[in-house]
Amino acid sequence: MIQDRVYGYYIGQNKSCAESIFLAANDEYQLGAGPECLKMIGAFSGGACCGSFCGAVAGGCAAIALRTGPVDLDAHSNPEMREKVKAFVQAFQQAAGSELCRDVKEKYFAEGERCLRTVELAAQILEQYMA
């Protein structure tokens, strides 16, 4: 399960929220993402580095996109991916109260473990949309 893997990345390797979710999903579902994908997803850490869209959610969205449909299928032509991403974001919003990093961080951040609870919550929800 993704949730079983995120701790190792987030705490064990000091990866960001976005990186941890994406790496855990990549491992669990053998998505085949290379180092350039990890570098790219890192830009969404900390709410795109400004407290906006939660990095854990962004990492989950990227994992769903990579898993859903062939790699040469663009987003406009992939309604299954679009529906899964929308449902994942809505489920996270409902569980956490927001999809914005600054709001979620206020609720879930803890000294010594940063946003581990947020990352674990996103991982738990993401499992439902990776099938």
Side-chain angles (χ1 to χ4, degrees):
M1 291 180 62
I2 298 169
Q3 191 173 358
D4 296 336
R5 297 174 185 265
V6 293
Y7 183 91
Y9 284 114
Y10 193 73
I11 298 297
Q13 294 185 29
N14 198 35
K15 297 291 186 190
S16 72
C17 48
E19 293 167 330
S20 296
I21 289 287
F22 186 75
L23 283 166
N26 186 52
D27 288 353
E28 183 69 22
Y29 293 97
Q30 300 170 349
L31 301 177
E36 63 281 348
C37 291
L38 178 61
K39 182 168 180 64
M40 180 182 63
I41 201 66
F44 296 95
S45 303
C49 305
C50 65
S52 188
F53 193 65
C54 174
V57 179
C61 290
I64 291 169
L66 197 54
R67 175 129 169 110
T68 310
V71 73
D72 61 346
L73 185 62
D74 64 56
H76 296 292
S77 302
N78 193 344
E80 179 186 7
M81 180 274 298
R82 296 170 60 85
E83 286 302 314
K84 284 183 177 184
V85 166
K86 180 180 177 181
F88 168 64
V89 172
Q90 288 174 337
F92 184 87
Q93 287 171 326
Q94 185 173 15
S98 178
E99 78 290 354
L100 297 176
C101 174
R102 63 182 149 266
D103 296 339
V104 175
K105 188 174 181 179
E106 189 175 296
K107 185 175 179 181
Y108 290 104
F109 183 86
E111 286 299 324
E113 61 180 35
R114 303 174 294 152
C115 290
L116 177 62
R117 289 178 36 209
T118 303
V119 172
E120 289 175 334
L121 177 62
Q124 178 185 359
I125 295 167
L126 179 59
E127 287 288 350
Q128 302 168 54
Y129 302 98
M130 292 298 287

